Structures are given as C-alpha cells and as structure tokens.
C-alpha cells in the first residue's frame, strides 16, 4: 500500500513539474532574424536557427556583409571568436555598436573593418592565410538579444 502511494505521489509530482514548466513559457519571446547581403563568400542558413555556415579556402580571403531590411541598424559585430578564443575590438570603448567607420577587430587571424559609419553597416572581413595543418574556426555574432545572427566559417588547412 505504501509503495503504491509513493508511486502515485511521484507521478503526481512529475505531472505538476511538467505542467509548471510548460506553463512558464513566454509567448511574447520572439527572436528576429537579421537580413544581410553577403559578397565574396557563400553562407548557408541553418533551418530554424539564426546560424549561417560558410567555408573558406586556406588562402587569404576577403568578403563583405551588409545589413539590410527592417533590422539593418542592428547588423553589426558584437563578438568574435577564433578557434574558441574571444577576441577584443582594437579601439574598444565598451559599446556594442561601431565606434566609427574605423572600428576594427584584428589579430593574426585577419581583420574586420567597418566601411560605413551609419546603418546599414557594411563590414569588410579579411581572413589571413591558414598555414597550419588544422582547420581554423571563426564565429562572428551580429546584433544581440532578440535581434541577432551568428556567422560560422571553417577555413581549410594547408
């Protein structure tokens, strides 16, 4: 009898937990895709996500991304990771949006430079040659919060 009561109690608690968990969802929570024009590299968008994938050759490569559409003013770089290591902006002033048209992210991996001072922002990317025997992984986040996109690029090795 005690075992049966424990089973029923456990099932009831599980039901209540699941019901509460489902009831806590926020229907107003909507993520918005950032639209962009891309020139110099082919990017493929993952279904049902804000992630774009691309592949780059081992050689030096340049491409541009320009914000477009309703949220073009939010299409700017907010973080850069190279092989899982976060990078810092050259003239970082603690702001998310570009400081000026010369806002630059750079390192041995290459650079990103803004070509425009005002939205829609046009960003020029230059990936340095990958002379190692391992692929290089780039991850660029554009926008933030509910308005974002992530561009992931795999650069081939020599």
């Amino acid at each position: 009898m005690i075992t049966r009561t424990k089973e029923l109690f456990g099932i009831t608690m599980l039901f209540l937990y699941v019901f509460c968990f489902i009831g806590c969802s926020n229907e107003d929570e909507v993520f918005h895709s950032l639209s962009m024009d891309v020139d110099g590299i082919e990017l493929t968008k993952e279904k049902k996500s804000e992630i774009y994938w691309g592949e780059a050759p081992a050689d030096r490569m340049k491409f541009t991304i320009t914000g477009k559409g309703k949220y073009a003013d939010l299409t700017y770089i907010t973080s850069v990771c190279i092989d899982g290591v976060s990078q810092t902006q050259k003239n970082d002033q603690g702001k998310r949006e570009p400081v000026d048209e010369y806002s630059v992210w750079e390192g041995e991996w290459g650079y990103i430079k803004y070509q425009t001072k005002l939205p829609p922002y046009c960003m020029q990317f230059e990936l340095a040659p990958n002379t190692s025997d391992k692929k290089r992984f780039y991850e660029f986040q554009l926008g933030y919060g509910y308005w974002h996109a992530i561009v992931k690029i795999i650069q081939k090795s020599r």
Side-chain angles (χ1 to χ4, degrees):
M1 178 76 172
I2 294 175
T3 305
R4 181 76 173 145
T5 304
K6 285 183 180 179
E7 285 179 8
L8 288 174
F9 179 75
I11 291 170
T12 303
M13 292 306 293
L14 180 62
F15 174 75
L16 287 173
Y17 175 76
V18 170
F19 182 74
C20 289
F21 184 72
I22 291 171
C24 290
S25 67
N26 183 352
E27 292 178 10
D28 295 332
E29 200 170 78
V30 177
F31 292 92
H32 304 280
S33 293
L34 296 179
S35 297
M36 58 189 98
D37 284 327
V38 180
D39 187 33
I41 191 171
E42 186 175 323
L43 296 178
T44 304
K45 187 175 186 286
E46 278 186 8
K47 292 180 181 178
K48 298 183 180 183
S49 84
E50 308 308 319
I51 299 174
Y52 294 81
W53 285 94
E55 188 174 82
D59 298 328
R60 180 174 309 277
M61 178 184 189
K62 288 185 180 182
F63 62 95
T64 59
I65 294 178
T66 306
K68 72 175 188 176
K70 186 174 182 179
Y71 305 113
D73 60 326
L74 297 172
T75 307
Y76 51 82
I77 301 293
T78 51
S79 73
V80 175
C81 283
I82 311 300
D83 290 329
V85 178
S86 287
Q87 307 295 306
T88 56
Q89 192 170 3
K90 181 179 178 183
N91 52 353
D92 184 14
Q93 297 180 5
K95 297 182 177 181
R96 282 196 167 119
E97 62 276 351
V99 177
D100 55 37
E101 68 267 34
Y102 302 108
S103 292
V104 174
W105 297 76
E106 68 180 340
E108 293 179 9
W109 53 269
Y111 72 83
I112 306 165
K113 180 179 177 183
Y114 286 89
Q115 302 295 299
T116 55
K117 185 174 185 170
L118 299 172
Y121 297 111
C122 177
M123 298 153 283
Q124 180 182 30
F125 295 71
E126 181 173 319
L127 308 183
N130 184 3
T131 57
S132 75
D133 58 349
K134 297 180 182 177
K135 293 179 181 180
R136 186 182 290 157
F137 295 92
Y138 296 87
E139 184 173 308
F140 308 110
Q141 181 169 329
L142 291 82
Y144 62 94
Y146 295 115
W147 303 270
H148 77 280
I150 298 173
V151 175
K152 295 185 177 194
I153 296 174
I154 299 172
Q155 186 178 30
K156 295 179 179 179
S157 58
R158 288 266 174 205

